[in-house]
């Protein structure tokens, strides 16, 4: 399939997903991003994400992962994002120089445009939080919270770094998480220790099925800003929660290109000072290596 036909197919899917999310999709905004990364999309994982809450409504996030080269350099050279003197602009290259990299990714909104880059460490080489904290461009808040990560057995478990350029924040995803981190009493004590509101029954119920935890850090505060618990499931309706109408519509109708029997979603609940909100990621284009990156078995049991 030619590049042009492939990009047209992907853009059509983004338009369809945007309609489901009640987000205005602009070809002028989306097409330059598709052409910038078009050469790598045939082998990429492509996902669409919607979120609840007023602040997150009205946009659709698109995620391209398993990209082979530094995506931030491409974004800068194609004027997808402005150059900055803030340390956030140096972080991806600093990490790439100092740590092993399996692959990269990007996020963009159909309304807000280019937002994030992602760096995946090899699944068998999870990284040390103290070593990451020593990177010159890393937010000082990571070093401020090393004791907390160590107390919960997460000090050598970094599997993925996400860098948000407009908000100047950082997401750290953890792999090989101690099972007790998902116990209700531990979830409650962890959020209290961080200074976030107690988890709802919704979040506690999700913890029983969760595979992932990630935290959000920034350069402007020593505190952890958000904590997210995530579940991968073939059927979000089977989770112990009532789905938001937009998320439910997305589960039923989001476009995808692979066998329906292999459908998969990531459903997540985030705790922040503004309250909890939910996110659903639906995969449009899938590659089995993604499960390896997420440290999940490629089996039905691994997706429950």
């Amino acid at each position: 399939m030619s590049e042009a036909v492939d990009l047209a197919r992907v853009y059509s899917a983004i338009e369809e997903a945007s309609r489901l999310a009640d987000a205005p999709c602009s070809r002028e905004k989306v097409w330059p991003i598709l052409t910038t990364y078009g050469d790598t999309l045939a082998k990429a994982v492509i996902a669409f994400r919607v979120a609840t809450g007023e602040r997150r409504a009205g946009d659709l996030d698109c995620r391209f992962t398993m990209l082979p080269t530094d995506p931030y350099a491409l974004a800068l050279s194609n004027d997808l994002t402005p150059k900055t003197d803030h340390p956030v602009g140096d972080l991806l290259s600093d990490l790439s120089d100092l740590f092993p990299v399996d692959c990269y990714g990007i996020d963009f909104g159909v309304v807000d445009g280019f937002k994030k880059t992602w760096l995946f460490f090899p699944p068998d080489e999870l990284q040390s939080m103290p070593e990451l904290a020593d990177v010159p461009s890393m937010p000082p808040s990571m070093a401020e919270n090393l004791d907390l990560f160590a107390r919960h057995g997460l000090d050598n478990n970094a599997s993925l770094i996400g860098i948000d350029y407009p908000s100047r924040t950082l997401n750290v995803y953890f792999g090989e998480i101690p099972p007790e981190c998902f116990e209700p009493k531990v979830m409650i004590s962890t959020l209290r220790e961080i200074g976030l509101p107690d988890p709802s029954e919704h979040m506690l119920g999700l913890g029983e099925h969760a595979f992932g935890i990630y935290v959000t850090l920034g350069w402007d505060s020593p505190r952890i800003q958000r904590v997210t618990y995530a579940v991968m499931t073939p059927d979000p309706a089977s989770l112990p929660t009532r789905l938001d109408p937009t998320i439910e519509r997305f589960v039923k109708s989001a476009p995808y290109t692979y066998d329906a029997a292999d459908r998969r979603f990531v459903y997540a609940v985030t705790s922040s000072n503004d309250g909890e909100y939910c996110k659903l990621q639906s995969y449009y284009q899938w590659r089995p290596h993604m499960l390896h990156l997420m440290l999940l078995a490629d089996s039905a049991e691994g997706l429950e």
Side-chain angles (χ1 to χ4, degrees):
M1 183 178 292
S2 70
E3 178 185 341
V5 172
D6 185 61
L7 293 186
R9 174 181 61 86
V10 174
Y11 180 76
S12 178
I14 291 172
E15 278 192 316
E16 183 179 350
S18 297
R19 285 193 294 271
L20 294 171
D22 294 324
C25 182
S26 163
R27 185 181 178 90
E28 183 178 330
K29 179 80 70 172
V30 173
W31 195 255
I33 298 174
L34 293 184
T35 55
T36 295
Y37 300 100
D39 289 344
T40 62
L41 291 187
K43 296 182 179 180
V45 171
I46 299 175
F48 306 134
R49 195 186 71 169
V50 291
T52 62
E54 277 188 33
R55 288 178 58 192
R56 296 156 194 93
D59 202 356
L60 172 81
D61 283 337
C62 304
R63 180 169 297 177
F64 301 155
T65 52
M66 292 180 53
L67 307 181
T69 56
D70 179 344
Y72 186 57
L74 279 174
L76 288 173
S77 63
N78 287 273
D79 297 323
L80 301 182
T81 189
K83 188 174 176 57
T84 177
D85 293 329
H86 189 276
V88 71
D90 297 322
L91 186 54
L92 188 69
S93 61
D94 286 351
L95 290 170
S96 299
D97 289 342
L98 295 169
F99 298 92
V101 179
D102 186 288
C103 60
Y104 299 92
I106 66 160
D107 274 13
F108 66 93
V110 297
V111 174
D112 291 340
F114 184 89
K115 294 180 181 180
K116 295 183 181 181
T117 60
W118 301 91
L119 182 149
F120 292 81
F121 301 119
D124 56 354
E125 295 185 67
L126 300 184
Q127 296 302 313
S128 157
M129 295 295 288
E131 291 183 10
L132 289 170
D134 284 341
V135 175
S137 54
M138 189 65 68
S141 53
M142 182 176 287
E144 293 282 347
N145 289 282
L146 289 178
D147 287 346
L148 183 147
F149 299 135
R151 284 195 297 276
H152 292 281
L154 300 174
D155 48 339
N156 291 291
N157 306 65
S159 63
L160 166 62
I161 300 287
I163 305 167
D164 188 315
Y165 298 92
S167 70
R168 295 180 175 177
T169 57
L170 171 83
N171 292 336
V172 183
Y173 288 67
F174 299 101
E176 298 180 359
I177 299 167
E180 56 267 25
C181 288
F182 299 111
E183 295 176 359
K185 64 180 181 180
V186 176
M187 293 172 67
I188 292 170
S189 66
T190 299
L191 294 183
R192 286 178 178 175
E193 185 177 3
I194 292 169
L196 292 170
D198 281 359
S200 66
E201 290 300 317
H202 177 197
M203 178 176 272
L204 294 175
L206 192 74
E208 297 179 11
H209 304 266
F211 78 93
I213 298 173
Y214 65 90
V215 298
T216 303
L217 303 165
W219 279 263
D220 298 330
S221 169
R223 295 183 55 192
I224 293 173
Q225 296 184 13
R226 297 186 291 276
V227 178
T228 299
Y229 294 87
V231 174
M232 177 168 265
T233 174
D235 181 16
S238 69
L239 296 171
T241 181
R242 183 178 180 276
L243 298 178
D244 176 89
T246 299
I247 289 179
E248 186 173 24
R249 183 166 68 243
F250 220 77
V251 169
K252 292 178 179 178
S253 304
Y256 60 97
T257 59
Y258 51 99
D259 194 317
D262 295 328
R263 284 302 302 276
R264 56 198 81 215
F265 304 86
V266 171
Y267 182 80
V269 182
T270 295
S271 175
S272 73
N273 282 322
D274 297 330
E276 289 181 9
Y277 59 94
C278 305
K279 296 173 279 193
L280 179 92
Q281 182 163 293
S282 173
Y283 290 92
Y284 169 70
Q285 184 168 288
W286 180 256
R287 295 290 178 266
H289 183 60
M290 196 68 201
L291 285 180
H292 188 48
L293 290 174
M294 298 169 77
L295 301 173
L296 289 168
D298 192 3
S299 66
E301 289 78 17
L303 300 177
E304 292 297 330

